[in-house]
Amino acid sequence: DIEKDNSGQRIEDLKRDGRVHRLGVEAEIHIGHKIMLESGIDYARAEFDGRSNRYNGYQGGLSVAKMWDSFMLHLSVEGGLNAFDASHPIFDKIREDKVYEAIGFLSWLNPLGYQNSYLNVGGGYEKNDSNIAFYDSEASFMFMTVGYQFGAGGIDDDDD
């Protein structure tokens, strides 16, 4: 719900309230001792009230993870295309966005002997390259998360 959508109130075609439905397929293979490769593709259909904000999105990605005794390194890249349905009422062209993302993080499993817990530290970069310069964007980010897994099947670093 977009409560104060000024552009959507002024121009019906720019309303941003709606839903995005996504369908994807992923596969993973083990390519060596404690090395996993994962790839995936997905399709998204964005149904927003404003016609120029509706789009079909196509995305693919590849990631690799390497395990050591108490650590896991995870690197991933993704790219995609969002093809919009209608001409933008202000810029007078149909929007097309190319999206790119790269993320890497290091996980410490069972840090300091605390079973079923983990610590993640990482960062990434995202870019949206649109044929309408107004929608171009870039972001870089860093993060740190701490977690605990409850119940049976805790974090086991003995799996291949």
Side-chain angles (χ1 to χ4, degrees):
D1 249 352
I2 307 256
E3 303 232 353
K4 295 180 179 179
D5 184 7
N6 292 330
S7 58
Q9 289 174 0
R10 290 185 204 135
I11 303 171
E12 183 83 13
D13 253 4
L14 293 179
K15 286 189 173 185
R16 296 178 289 165
D17 194 18
R19 290 182 168 75
V20 177
H21 305 280
R22 189 173 301 276
L23 176 65
V25 177
E26 293 182 348
E28 64 180 51
I29 58 172
H30 295 267
I31 58 172
H33 186 67
K34 296 188 177 188
I35 299 175
M36 184 181 69
L37 186 65
E38 182 178 67
S39 64
I41 57 171
D42 70 39
Y43 166 76
R45 176 63 191 159
E47 288 290 339
F48 293 106
D49 291 342
R51 289 182 331 116
S52 63
N53 281 323
R54 297 177 192 158
Y55 66 86
N56 292 301
Y58 311 92
Q59 189 166 340
L62 182 65
S63 66
V64 63
K66 169 66 175 150
M67 292 287 302
W68 290 277
D69 291 335
S70 296
F71 295 94
M72 179 182 75
L73 177 64
H74 185 269
L75 305 170
S76 68
V77 293
E78 293 182 1
L81 174 71
N82 295 329
F84 290 76
D85 289 0
S87 183
H88 194 284
I90 295 173
F91 299 108
D92 197 31
K93 64 169 84 170
I94 296 175
R95 185 173 156 198
E96 186 177 279
D97 292 352
K98 295 173 187 163
V99 293
Y100 310 96
E101 181 178 86
I103 296 175
F105 65 90
L106 181 66
S107 296
W108 183 12
L109 308 175
N110 304 318
L112 304 173
Y114 291 102
Q115 292 299 309
N116 299 331
S117 62
Y118 56 90
L119 171 70
N120 295 324
V121 176
Y125 173 78
E126 298 174 338
K127 180 175 178 141
N128 186 64
D129 185 16
S130 180
N131 66 330
I132 299 175
F134 179 79
Y135 292 102
D136 285 348
S137 65
E138 283 185 83
S140 55
F141 54 91
M142 295 177 63
F143 59 88
M144 182 175 86
T145 61
V146 177
Y148 182 84
Q149 181 173 344
F150 294 91
I155 298 169
D156 184 5
D157 61 355
D158 291 332
D159 290 342
D160 284 339

